[in-house]
Amino acid sequence: MKIVSVVEEMKHISRSLHVENKSIGFVPTMGALHDGHLSLIKEAAKYNDYVVVSIFINPIQFDEKKDLLAYPADILRDLEIAKKIGVSVVFKPTVNEMYPSGFCTFVDTEGLPQNLCGSNRSGHFKGVSTVVVKLFNIVKPEIAYFGEKDFQQAVIVTRLVKDLGMDVKIAVLPTVRADDGLALSSRNVRLSGLERGDALCLFEAIKNAKMLVASGVTDATSIKKSCLRIINAKKSVKKVDYVSVVNRDTLLDVPFIDESALLAMAIWVGETRLIDNCSFAECIV
Ligand code: PAF
């Protein structure tokens, strides 16, 4: 496994692979690798000749310095995991390598980031879009892999690739959950024992919402109210950023549940922000 920190070296490797007609599957991450990342890496390995994983805690997508400083980082562990699973190249640039002095070009998708996480995390998706475009230009993958847990991110990246005519296919894979249902996230390592238990309220809310829809309830207000009841009953939940029912493509609020509806939630459990979501296609009666 190659470990690369310099942009020009990564570009050179990608160019050489393409000259040899080899395809690159790319998994962008901020490290603290977990089974969710591993499912993306495995999928990338299935459909591509080489797998590149980036590990870069992107400072410009954090709206709060505190959140950036608290983001889990363990590069030695990550490198070991990546090597074991057969990653071909880990690209782990420094902040200065990605944003050298004078950097002033940003990518923004209008509209899509305004709702959900965009309304609570100002500039977050501009930071994500900018780094993703930059990483795609450096790694030049055929296919890039994202998780459905970060649903809004996946919608925005899919949109910007289409709008900018970029030559990369976006694959979005299902959320990977722990045995008890908690969606895997790098942030989970920050939860205390009590918080880890309370964080399950997101999955409980999802199960309950699906049960309601399966029993014929389709109005979004009732679904949201029932989710909030479950979430707010937990002691460690400090704040609810949003519980929304939106259209999967536009991310705009919708009044009723149908095949295109998505329940999306973001809450703070202690000092940790967690998100989760689900669709209802399989439970609509
Ligand atoms: O989902 C993430 O880990 C990040 O937002 C990404 C896509 C690696 C961009 O920094």
Side-chain angles (χ1 to χ4, degrees):
M1 182 179 82
K2 271 204 161 79
I3 301 167
V4 178
S5 302
V6 176
V7 167
E8 284 312 315
E9 190 187 344
M10 186 65 242
K11 278 184 170 174
H12 176 74
I13 292 172
S14 304
R15 267 196 302 268
S16 311
L17 291 177
H18 285 135
V19 167
E20 290 172 32
N21 252 336
K22 303 291 186 199
S23 65
I24 299 175
F26 178 43
V27 181
T29 83
M30 297 206 294
L33 299 182
H34 52 68
D35 283 352
H37 295 119
L38 299 196
S39 83
L40 303 181
I41 293 171
K42 283 181 197 156
E43 188 78 0
K46 218 190 276 179
Y47 294 102
N48 300 275
D49 298 313
Y50 286 83
V51 178
V52 176
V53 171
S54 64
I55 298 178
F56 178 62
I57 302 179
N58 176 32
I60 67 165
Q61 72 184 70
F62 287 83
D63 48 332
E64 286 183 31
K65 188 134 196 222
K66 205 170 84 183
D67 196 25
L68 170 62
L69 293 175
Y71 201 83
D74 189 345
I75 188 69
L76 293 180
R77 179 187 162 274
D78 286 346
L79 291 176
E80 213 163 282
I81 291 173
K83 192 170 173 189
K84 223 185 226 166
I85 200 175
V87 169
S88 329
V89 181
V90 169
F91 177 50
K92 55 167 210 56
T94 60
V95 172
N96 197 46
E97 188 68 13
M98 289 296 276
Y99 303 119
S101 128
F103 184 94
C104 62
T105 305
F106 295 86
V107 180
D108 209 356
T109 47
E110 280 181 17
L112 286 175
Q114 248 116 68
N115 208 358
L116 307 179
C117 290
S119 60
N120 302 96
R121 306 186 69 190
S122 132
H124 168 65
F125 286 115
K126 187 173 164 185
V128 170
S129 301
T130 302
V131 82
V132 164
V133 168
K134 200 162 164 139
L135 287 167
F136 285 178
N137 283 338
I138 296 165
V139 176
K140 298 183 179 61
E142 270 66 33
I143 312 179
Y145 296 82
F146 292 83
E148 208 168 33
K149 181 177 75 65
D150 296 291
F151 194 90
Q152 189 171 17
Q153 169 171 280
V155 169
I156 287 172
V157 170
T158 304
R159 184 80 234 174
L160 75 82
V161 160
K162 185 165 186 236
D163 287 355
L164 298 179
M166 299 181 82
D167 262 340
V168 49
K169 188 168 170 276
I170 303 300
V172 183
L173 268 58
T175 301
V176 178
R177 298 182 181 278
D179 288 344
D180 59 7
L182 183 70
L184 296 190
S185 159
S186 301
R187 292 169 187 265
N188 291 353
V189 297
R190 283 161 48 184
L191 298 168
S192 70
L194 177 70
E195 290 168 353
R196 172 69 180 70
D198 283 356
L200 272 181
C201 66
L202 287 171
F203 188 57
E204 283 168 31
I206 284 176
K207 276 192 301 189
N208 187 63
K210 284 189 171 183
M211 205 182 66
L212 288 174
V213 172
S215 72
V217 178
T218 57
D219 90 285
T221 307
S222 306
I223 300 291
K224 287 188 277 188
K225 269 190 188 153
S226 76
C227 292
L228 283 168
R229 246 193 323 273
I230 292 168
I231 291 168
N232 285 324
K234 305 291 180 192
K235 257 208 180 106
S236 333
V237 173
K238 291 280 156 6
K239 195 176 150 206
V240 176
D241 273 354
Y242 61 80
V243 169
S244 300
V245 176
V246 298
N247 175 280
R248 291 170 62 87
D249 302 318
T250 63
L251 302 181
L252 295 175
D253 287 274
V254 290
F256 295 105
I257 305 281
D258 62 11
E259 282 84 359
S260 62
L262 179 90
L263 167 67
M265 300 173 282
I267 63 171
W268 288 84
V269 179
E271 296 296 313
T272 307
R273 188 175 189 275
L274 299 176
I275 58 176
D276 208 341
N277 66 72
C278 76
S279 298
F280 295 97
E282 82 281 8
C283 24
I284 288 170
V285 284

